[in-house]
Amino acid sequence: MTPLHRPGAALVTAAVAVLLVAGGGVAAAAPLAASDDGGRPVWVVTGIGLLVAVSLALTVVSSITLAWMLHAWRTPETMAATRFDAPDLPPAHRFSLLVPARHEEPVLGATLDRLAAGRHPNVEILAIVGHDDPGTEAVARAAAERHPNLIRVVIDHTVPKTKPAALNTALAHVTGDVVGVFDAEDEVHPELLSRVDAFMQDGGAAVVQGGVQLVNLDSSWWALRNCLEYFFWYRSRLHFHAHARFVPLGGNTVFLRTDLIREADGWDARCLAEDCELGVRLSADGADIAVAYDPELATREETPPTIAALIRQRTRWDQGFLQVFRKGEWRRLPLWTQRALARYTLAMPFLQAFSGLMIPVSAALMIWAKVPTPVMLTSFLPLAPTFVTLVVEVCALAELSKSFALRARAREYILLVLGTFPYQVLLAFAAVRSVWRELRGERGWEKTAHVGAHRVGPAAIETPHELATVVLPAGAAAVTLVKSPAPAPLAGSDGAAPHPEPGTVDAGAARGDEGPAPEREG
């Protein structure tokens, strides 16, 4: 094992180097800037110092991140250890699958049918919909009618509406000994639960994080890069975190023992990255968290349909990481290497935001200030690991395409190269926006819309007979919809909620609530 692949050595290198270069960049550059015969204004000297600090910090961060990206590919043994490697065992667990959905009429029905088509014999599916979302509720009810012995509909009355609040609402109605979480648009392999069951029996893990992969890489230039991000994160990076015993869990395809999640009081309803927060909390508690990945079993998803949606989604994630960092549960981690990894991971939005702000500063210095040659050369240092990363990404795109039966044409490889810098600008802008929102106390949930783009093409799992493909007008994305009845009209003329159908759990009624408060805007 090389030093960069040992968590302790890598973290020492990352934490110490980043702190040193960030703290000493200005001091190191000041003599160079001041050595000019004519002298320089203070703002120019400061700007040059910041340019040096950011350049060195980005070089270190890029190099360490690249090493962690390649964790799973170190040796054949390392790659083999990342898989669902467990003997065939008879089912021993009952799964309660939680599927929170809000305004997900185009995709929810297909997802529930996929889950109901799974081959594990002991499963219940809880579709969680808001009391104020009759369209999604109608789709969920239709699925419950098609699969009355498998699907129940849970009505969530919490305000404001968030994913973790919906999950907590459903947790009270769980009857299985293992809770699984899926998103409303997920394409789930029918053998996944059986493999997770055997994996938990064989290894004794209390939490299992499975693989998730975005597959509509040909939808746009940013979708291509977003797909590769997921590939590296779930295929490799999360396995590094599992090795270090600090795992920021993903938002779906995660399985937890019911007694464990109940002892942990469920999900943090106020956190915008409730998945990461739960993983940090369970890691600090010493829970046995395993990460496993098989391309065949990975849950398929789609990228955000627009750049604006991508920025909003990434803003929410970054802001959630900042919330988890401020909450401080990571300080309970027993090892200093774990705490260092937590700081590095959770505080990354700060560095991304700072780097984003430095882009116009760097451009201004290059144009209007006479930058010393050593400083100019230093500013190009991050290009070295960036170039190596780009070569790795080209190879990864080929592997991703092969593993998920996708077609990467010459166009995709060209867009991959050309989109490198613009995509980093988008991520930096989202990071700046997340810091701004957190400082202003804006913590509303910015939801990502789904259109079913991952259910078109060879990467889609075989469609059950209940589904139909709907052809939309030219220019619109193709969507797979469920043949479900029209939404039931609201009972009465006073705006009261409809009466629960059979197989429906009204969480508000079960608690004896007199009624929900008006929903607050984000």
Side-chain angles (χ1 to χ4, degrees), residues 20-34:
L20 286 178
V21 298
V26 175
L32 292 171

Side-chain angles (χ1 to χ4, degrees), residues 147 157 160 186 226 267 281 293 317 336-337 350 377 419 481 485 507:
H147 311 284
H157 286 270
D186 285 352
N226 206 187
W267 292 263
R281 204 159 15 110
Y293 184 96
W317 292 354
W336 71 267
T337 53
F350 282 117
L377 294 175
L481 298 176

